Every structure is written in structure tokens, then in C-alpha cells.
Amino acid sequence: MPVVSNFRNTVSRAWPGPLAGLVAGLCALAVAELVAGLLRPAAGPVTVVGGAVIDRTPAAVKDFAIRTFGENDKTALQIGILAVLAVLALVAGAVALRHRRASTAGILLFGLVGTVAALSRPDAGPLDVLPSVAGALAGATALYLLTGKARRAAAPVPAVPPEGDGAGWDRRGFLTATAVTAGAAAGAGALGRYLGGRRGQSAVASRTRLVLPAPASPAPPVPPAVRAKAPGISPFVTPNRDFYRVDTALVVPKVDAETWRLRIHGEGVARPRTYTLADLLARPLIERDITLTCVSNEVGGPYVGNARWLGVPLGALLADCGVRPPSRGGRADQLVARSVDGMTLGSPVEDVMDGRDAMLAVGMNGEPLPFEHGFPVRMLVPGLYGYVSACKWIEDIELTTFDAYDPYWVKRKWARRAPIKTQSRIDTPKPFARPSAGAGPVTVAGVAWAQHRGISRVQIRIDDGPWNDAELAAQDTVDTWRQWSYRWQAAPGGHTLTVRATDGTGQVQTERRTRTVPDGASGWHSVFVTVT
């Protein structure tokens, strides 16, 4: 049957090239991972290309990614990059059966992309190009050698295999070479991961050894009255493991606390200084309950959490360096905080020094900061969204003006100034829940926040009915969220529950619905339930 025979020969000739390309791509990534593990894990090509993609992604697309993937947005990006590389590797291998040198050059071109991406990172060093260069050379070499065997393996299958291996039917040799290359690549990748992990061990050890001193100004115990008695409501204090994380770091920085330094300098800094962690811990520390909110939090979203923070009062630290706020004749109106990975955030100097509990935090809920939340030191300013105040892994504070410098997010069309908007959320019942009217009143409960202003009132509306006052739990401080509950005599059928809050100044939460860009979402949170 000539048709079947031709089909078999076509398939037989087609597969070695793509397989060679895929294994060559694996080899490139594995060698790059190994070199990055030896030098700096954050310099790996997937990480630097991912960082470059994040930097160049429009704010609306970032917003969509956070809404869609939540805190897994970075994982989704890395999987997407790997999937694209896998497809390109398959194509390169297929093309190499006819155009071997051109496909090999294509692998080198991808290495150039990684090199450019590495150099574009704000924390780039001169050696950061080496992982991409080494990976590209290894991948190109593997592709050239494997496709040489793939060409022989893809030759038409003779009716009787010839003796020896010189007649063009070298499938066994190709498969052997491919398996050896894949195995070596897997070993190199595993070793790179191991070495990368070891590079962070000193940071892990420094966190383990760190003993936080007692605060000079401790927070009082959280009174029981701040907790509403409602099953399903968010805990008043968010455990560290559950605290939201939204940042651009594809690799969480592991900073050794013993080598960490903080530099304070810039316009209007009469006495520039560099501090060690020991220097900060020797100062009087404050302990405060503060609720943080991410500007990417949609109405009713999860990116808000409350914790007990321990830190150095930032206003006093700046005053010791001779900094004055604009209201007292200071020349700088913007504080630019820089993290070890090059992120920059800009905060109003006036807000930092107006007496609120702005701090350089070293502790979170009774322990040193987790690495994911900024160990060894992060910045907090109550009442401001995180993108203008909550710099993690901070290492530099520069005093400047808003006219002179645009930080990372401002360059991407987010607002320069971003006080947190009054918001409220229904935690229970969940959307599309089916509570039972026969079990008695249905408890509707949730949280509301307006940091640095506090919450004075929360109201619930059933369908298009009147607004009803919810019962407020006690207020801990104006910088924390406030729990509330409402007992609803529910009637069977479908109902829409809507919540709104009033802040401590008497300002009612706006109904006007806006997205997160450029300065935070607004609007009322609603859930639909069916009462049975």
C-alpha cells in the first residue's frame, strides 16, 4: 500500500528534528540555570526576560493578570515563557533538518534577547549576561550536533537495514545522543537549582539568628471586642502565611541581614547616613497594628490584610538625618525608596513625617519579616496604597521632588499620590451561596477600611430596599480595618446584598465604580445569594 508507506516515511522523517530542537532548548535553559546558580539566581534568562515583560506590560494588562491569576500571576508568566520557548525550540529543530546553520543562529539570537533583558534590569551587574550567553552557546551546540544525527535518522527507511552505521539509517545513534543530552541537561538544571538555593542559605541563617528587641512603644493586646462574632469573616489579624503578596519579583530576594545596609541621602538631607540592621534595632522601636491594601485590589477583592508590625519610626529617622517636611521649609516633597531588586516607590515626605506611624518594619506578627514580605526591612506608611509606600527589601532612601523623578509605577501611568479609598467587603455569605431561611436570621458580615481615617459606619442594603446600619465591632485603631455584621431576616428567593461604609471624617463610600488604574478601585461591593 504505497499511500500508507509514504505516510509512514513522512512521519518517520519528521519527528527527529523537533525532538532535537526540544532537547537543545532544554540544554540551553539548564546550562543557563547552572551558571545563574553559580553567579546570581535572579540572572537566569527566564527570570530576566519575565522581568522585562513585566516592566513593559501596560498597567491595564497587569491589572487583568492580577484579577485572573491572583498571586499566581508570576507563575503563569513563567509557564507562558517556557511554553513559548518550547514551541520555538520545536520549530527550530524542524527547520534545522533543512537549514541547520540558520536554526543554530536562531538559538544564538534568543541568547541575545536574554542578554539584552539581563542588562535592562535595574539591579543588573556585569556578570548577569553570562547565564543567557552560556545557555545560548550550549543550546546552539546541542542543536547543531543533534540535528546532524537527526538528518541521518530522518532519512527514508530502507527495506533492509544496512550493516554498520554508515548507510544513513542512524536512528539508534540519534536517540542515544538525545537521551544523553537530555540527561546531562536535567543534571545541570538540578545542580543549578541546588546552587541557587545554597546562595540564599546565609540569608536564611541570618533570619533564624535574628532576635527582635522589645518595642519601646508596644501595641496593646488586641481587645476581643474588635472581632465580630460571625462565622466566615476574615480574621482580624491576618496570619503571615495568608497575607497577600503582590509585587514584580519573579525570584524572592534573599538578603543577608548581617550585610544589609540602608542609605539615606538626597535633597535636603543635611546629614546623609548609612545604617546597618543593628543600628536600626538599637533605636527605640514601635509596635503597631496596621492594615495594608494593594492598589490592584478590586472592589471586594482579597489584596488587603492586617498585621502587627514592629519597626523604626521613619519620621524620626529622617529628622535625625536633618530632613524637614515641606510644611516646615523642607526642600524635598518626595521620598523615593529603592529595593535590592531595583524597584522604586515614591511617597510624599509630608505624609511620612506628619506624625502617623510610618515605619521601617523589621517584624510582622511577632517574628522577623518573612522573605516574601521584605526581610530584613520594609517600609510602611499607614493610609497610602502599597505602590507608593510599602517598599519591600528596601536598601536606599533618596529625598527628591515629584517634579524631578517618576518612580516605577508612575512611569506606567499610575498616580503619583494615592491615599487609600474607603472600601467595604462582604465576606459572608459568599457569592451564589444558598443560605436557609428556616435556620433563623442570616448573618451578613465582613470588613471595612479607610486607613488613617477609620470607619464610623457600615450599612447593608437588600436588593433595592433602604440602607440598614450594620453592627460594628470595636475599632482597634484608625489604621486598621473594622469588622461588621448584620442579622438579616431573609425571605426565600434570589437577593442582592450591597455594602457601603462611612469613614471617620463622615465621608460616605462612593457608589461610582472605577477600576484600579490609576489610583485604586472604587464602588460598592455586592453579592447575589439564593435563600432556600
Side-chain angles (χ1 to χ4, degrees), residues 28-239:
L29 289 176
V31 170
E33 189 78 26
L34 175 58
V35 176
L38 289 168
L39 299 176
R40 195 169 77 97
V46 173
T47 301
V48 297
V49 170
V53 170
I54 290 173
D55 287 351
R56 288 157 180 79
T57 299
V61 177
K62 281 193 181 77
D63 193 41
F64 169 80
I66 293 174
R67 287 199 315 273
T68 305
F69 300 108
E71 295 183 28
N72 297 315
D73 56 337
K74 302 170 195 64
T75 301
L77 173 61
Q78 291 174 309
I79 291 174
I81 291 173
L82 292 173
V84 170
L85 290 176
V87 171
L88 293 175
L90 290 168
V91 172
V95 172
L97 291 178
R98 291 183 176 272
H99 306 285
R100 191 177 175 192
R101 291 181 179 176
S103 283
T104 302
I107 297 293
L108 295 175
L109 180 61
F110 290 129
L112 179 61
V113 171
T115 299
V116 172
L119 292 174
S120 73
R121 308 309 303 137
D123 59 337
L127 299 181
D128 284 3
V129 302
L130 293 182
S132 294
V133 171
L137 291 174
T141 301
L143 181 65
Y144 190 83
L145 296 177
L146 290 177
T147 51
K149 288 187 173 292
R151 282 175 158 182
R152 294 192 293 273
V157 182
V160 179
E163 295 183 4
D165 55 3
W169 192 71
D170 196 22
R171 196 156 305 173
R172 184 175 300 171
F174 167 71
L175 290 174
T176 300
T178 300
V180 170
T181 304
L191 180 58
R193 289 281 180 177
Y194 170 75
L195 293 173
R198 283 183 60 86
R199 288 183 64 84
Q201 285 185 354
S202 64
V204 173
S206 71
R207 184 179 183 274
T208 301
R209 290 192 297 267
L210 181 60
V211 177
L212 296 176
S217 174
V222 176
V226 304
R227 297 181 171 91
K229 297 178 180 179
I233 198 171
S234 301
F236 181 77
V237 176
T238 309

Side-chain angles (χ1 to χ4, degrees), residues 364-380:
M364 180 180 183
N365 289 334
E367 64 179 76
L369 291 171
F371 286 107
E372 293 81 0
H373 295 292
F375 181 85
V377 180
R378 72 174 297 170
M379 186 172 131
L380 303 176

Side-chain angles (χ1 to χ4, degrees), residues 298-315:
E298 295 281 353
V299 172
Y303 303 128
V304 56
N306 185 56
R308 175 157 289 192
W309 306 92
L310 176 72
V312 177
L314 182 52

Side-chain angles (χ1 to χ4, degrees), residues 249-274:
L250 291 174
V251 175
V252 174
K254 296 285 181 69
V255 181
D256 190 327
E258 293 167 9
T259 61
W260 174 86
R261 298 291 184 271
L262 173 70
R263 180 185 176 212
I264 300 179
H265 62 106
E267 189 168 350
V269 181
R271 296 176 291 278
R273 291 183 179 175
T274 298

